[in-house]
Amino acid sequence: MTFSQPPARRGQRLVKGLPVSGGIVIGKVLVIDDEIRRVVPRSIKPEDVGHERERFDKAVKKSIAEIRRVHEQAEREMGKEAAKIFSFHVGMLADPTFSGSVHGMIEADKVTAEYAATHVLDKIASQFRSAKDPVFATKVNDIDDLTDRLLAQLLGGRKSVLEQADSGTVIIARDLTPSQTAGFDRERILGFATDQGGMTSHTAIIAKALEIPAVVGCQALVREVQDGDEVILDGDHGMVIVSPDPDTVAEYLRAIEQRRQYQVSLGELRDLPSVTQDGVDIHLVGNIELPEEVSRVLGAGGEGIGLYRTEYLYLTSKTEPTEGDHYRAYRRCVQLLAGRELVIRTMDLGADKYTQGQAEVPERNPFLGCRSIRYCLKNQPMFKKQLRAVLRASAEGPIKIMFPLVSSIAELRQAKFVVNDVMEELEEEGHAFDRSIKIGMMVEVPSAAIQAETFARECDFFSIGTNDLVQYTLAVDRINERVANLYNPLHPAVIRLIRDVARAAKRHEIPVSCCGEAAGDLEFAMLLIGLGVRTLSVSSSMIPPLKRFVRSVTVEQCERVSREAMKLESDVHIAAYLRDRARKIVPEAFDMPGID
Ligand code: PEP
Ligand code: MG
């Protein structure tokens, strides 16, 4: 069903973005525009002046200590000259004129430390901005940085705007971190839209995992809305309708009901096998970030967990998890899975997966930096802590270990070596574990895909991570909305890599799965099945539509379609061709109510 008249023509504001997590919700806007900077003037009682001044002094002290640490590290890694900027930061904060102005304002205007500090810093920034000398103009960013740092210290113990959200809230933000999204209270937050972000940004992945409707890459939505505005968020079509008229609301309410019925019909497949019309099993397993999601995957009819993103143990906690924390999380999953398989991916920290608190000195090119297995190999005590916990949990149920972002054979060997080391330790200590635990790797870097034959000899399984494989093959940042149109898993170069990986796996008789977001798209799944992939690991919400598709198609059909797709020379042609084929098989999945 499509609507008779696009809302834009009815004078409503319609903003398009990327549909990253399905579902339609209608709610009230809460804007998070750099939450930390939303400091409203708040008066204080005269007797609280001393307390506010003290809070400010403490925040300054802590910020200076923090900057000094960053400074030292920056000096070691980038040299004295590049690190000089931090001396300016310290100098600013330690300047008695600055603290004098803030104290003076708290006292004279009876306002909070947050407000006084931002006000004084804003004034300095505008002086720099209007200075003729370009050197001063560049200092504005530094002042912004300082403001953020000070406010983070001051607001640390306070309730954030997010925590104060009412029920029925739709968050509209410039951007959200994966950990912010993971912390959403589902009782109150219906969905979100962000100006930044791409199809496979981790924020988008979390939204899908938690089944929160989401649209990202809306460019300038934050400027279009105000707190309390009514919005329709259409995560199926990547659309936000601001202040919809009653007719549009009524149409969308009907769409929501139709969607609900479709979901119910998919739910009926839950306990049926995922087998093609010509009798081939296609294993549908789930991607999870937290143990609580296991039940969601099983509830959707998933057969196990094909990707546990364990870095979320870090991202959702302020301190580094202990071996016990790891162990408890893994054991919990094993218990919930009751004999079904659990693939634990070792920590994939770095790039966009840091919380502010845990961020190290920013890398200039974090997606090409010290992330993932590289980070673990450099931080072996941390890595071993996790491996000990994984192995101990393997005594309780079927677990496989998977390394992320492997890009050279030396890395794989080194990581396996660490596992062996840990096994010896555990043996000496008398701990039980699965001695023949399977060890596999993600294929998400082109070098690994190209060398798949070599890797296949030394590991027990492959899982193709299209989210990263696409960004590294096509040189397209997966979280940058400005190049989102170039991010396409159906690019012929990506498909060729996948074909080669699947062939290498077959030749060496090791299983190959796909756990990137694309595996949940029916047209891409058709291609994967045609290329020989027999396990798809996806967010729980994608399992039911995939199962319907699998049960409606034959492998022979998929093979024919993938052969034809391989002959086409552009992603646009391949996408159109596959969409057309998949639509013929399950038309209802492509004709969801809403506006295309
Ligand atoms: C991938 O890159 O496809 C993947 C599954 O890993 P992540 O999205 O966690 O980087
Ligand atoms: Mg990845």
Side-chain angles (χ1 to χ4, degrees), residues 54-66:
E54 232 172 76
R55 284 184 59 235
F56 169 74
D57 291 341
K58 263 196 203 148
V60 167
K61 230 168 138 181
K62 280 193 173 166
S63 300
I64 290 179
E66 202 177 82

Side-chain angles (χ1 to χ4, degrees), residues 517-529:
E517 292 311 290
D521 294 338
L522 303 186
E523 49 269 59
F524 198 80
M526 191 173 195
L527 185 83
L528 288 172
I529 296 170

Side-chain angles (χ1 to χ4, degrees), residues 97-130:
T97 334
F98 168 60
S99 43
S101 308
V102 177
H103 281 176
M105 189 168 173
I106 294 174
E107 200 153 333
D109 299 349
K110 309 281 178 298
V111 287
T112 55
E114 288 87 339
Y115 186 70
T118 347
H119 186 83
V120 171
L121 285 166
D122 269 0
K123 237 164 110 183
I124 301 173
S126 54
Q127 280 162 5
F128 281 149
R129 213 171 278 126
S130 53

Side-chain angles (χ1 to χ4, degrees), residues 337-359:
L337 283 163
R340 300 176 188 88
E341 202 166 80
L342 169 67
V343 179
I344 298 184
R345 179 177 75 180
T346 57
M347 290 157 306
D348 188 19
L349 286 169
D352 63 334
K353 284 186 274 191
Y354 275 122
T355 58
Q356 271 319 102
Q358 288 158 340

